């Protein structure tokens, strides 16, 4: 039996392909640009899509609520906690009242901690990441909320009429998301 012969051009193509793959594995993908206001609006649109599918009226965007939600996300990212009640003991309703926001009789809040990447890969001493796009962050966040009975109830509550969503990026690539919803009834 004779060994198969490999034409020189095929061997060169295989070597070139191997070198390209090696280069790609050693070259980390750049960290994605996350435009926080756009990410917040993407989440708002996704939530309203879920509301429509479930025969609910869409929520109006409230910039003041978004600012308060963003402030809570930034606080959690800065001080390293993940709770509805801040370290001073303030609930979502108390934070709104302290800010002078008095349009709501009913207030609900969802929080979620996501990540800018889904996987970290270490090759030798080099790290690379599978970065998440804003669309993936939106999809995974809203899916997590919709898969949780309590969060789902908050999103689909018929008496809520407006919302604000606030996002903060932490130095460790965690993404903190707060949704505040409210209604007058």
């Amino acid at each position: 039996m004779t060994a198969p012969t490999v034409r020189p051009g095929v061997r060169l193509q295989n070597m070139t392909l191997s070198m390209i793959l090696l280069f790609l594995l050693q070259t980390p993908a750049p960290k994605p640009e996350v435009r926080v206001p756009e990410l917040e609006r993407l989440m708002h649109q996704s939530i309203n899509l879920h509301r429509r599918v479930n025969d609910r009226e869409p929520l109006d965007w409230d910039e003041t609520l978004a600012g308060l939600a963003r402030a809570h996300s930034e606080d959690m990212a800065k001080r390293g906690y993940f709770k509805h009640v801040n370290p001073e003991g303030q609930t979502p309703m108390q934070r709104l009242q302290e800010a002078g926001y008095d349009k709501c009789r009913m207030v609900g809040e969802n929080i979620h901690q996501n990540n800018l990447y889904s996987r970290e890969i270490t090759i030798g001493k080099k790290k690379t990441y599978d970065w998440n796009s804003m669309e993936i962050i939106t999809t995974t966040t809203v899916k997590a909320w919709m898969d949780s009975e309590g969060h789902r109830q908050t999103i689909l509550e018929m008496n809520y009429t407006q919302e604000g969503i606030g996002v903060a990026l932490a130095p460790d690539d965690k993404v903190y998301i707060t949704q505040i919803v409210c209604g007058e009834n």
Side-chain angles (χ1 to χ4, degrees), residues 15 19 52 54 58 73 81 116 118 130 143 146 165 184:
M15 285 177 44
M19 290 174 60
R52 282 196 276 298
N54 286 278
S73 291
Y81 70 95
L116 286 179
S118 58
D130 281 343
K143 181 181 183 328
M146 292 303 289
I165 296 175
E184 297 174 16

Side-chain angles (χ1 to χ4, degrees), residues 16-179:
T16 303
L17 182 60
S18 296
M19 290 174 60
I20 290 171
L21 286 172
L22 184 61
F23 174 76
L24 290 174
L25 287 174
Q26 291 181 344
T27 305
K31 192 174 191 174
E33 177 188 357
V34 176
R35 296 171 301 284
V36 168
E38 185 178 335
L39 180 56
E40 293 166 349
R41 291 297 184 139
L42 285 170
M43 289 189 190
H44 172 66
Q45 292 167 358
S46 179
I47 285 167
N48 275 336
L49 178 64
H50 284 279
R51 285 180 63 89
R52 282 196 276 298
V53 166
N54 286 278
D55 297 320
R56 303 296 193 272
E57 291 294 319
L59 297 169
D60 292 330
W61 180 261
D62 185 305
E63 194 57 48
T64 302
L65 286 177
L68 293 167
R70 194 174 307 113
H72 186 60
S73 291
E74 289 170 351
D75 189 43
M76 289 190 293
K78 180 179 177 184
R79 297 201 284 171
Y81 70 95
F82 182 68
K83 296 180 179 181
H84 293 282
V85 178
N86 68 17
E88 289 72 41
Q90 291 180 308
T91 65
M93 179 65 95
Q94 290 169 330
R95 292 194 312 270
L96 267 61
Q97 290 170 341
E98 182 178 283
Y101 191 90
D102 59 0
K103 294 180 184 179
C104 303
R105 291 183 188 209
M106 294 177 56
V107 173
E109 180 179 80
N110 284 331
I111 58 175
H112 186 73
Q113 183 182 319
N114 210 320
N115 294 289
L116 286 179
Y117 58 87
S118 58
R119 184 169 63 141
E120 177 182 304
I121 303 163
T122 304
I123 300 173
K125 293 184 179 183
K126 291 190 177 195
K127 288 183 182 179
T128 187
Y129 301 90
D130 281 343
W131 295 108
N132 291 324
S133 66
M134 291 193 306
E135 291 77 12
I136 290 173
I137 294 168
T138 296
T139 301
T140 55
T141 297
V142 176
K143 181 181 183 328
W145 283 338
M146 292 303 289
D147 287 348
S148 162
E149 188 57 36
H151 295 98
R152 179 182 178 85
Q153 287 175 355
T154 299
I155 289 171
L156 299 180
E157 169 58 51
M158 293 173 78
N159 292 311
Y160 290 140
T161 57
Q162 49 209 358
E163 81 169 336
I165 296 175
V167 173
L169 307 176
D172 62 357
D173 295 326
K174 287 187 173 95
V175 182
Y176 290 84
I177 303 114
T178 303
Q179 175 204 34

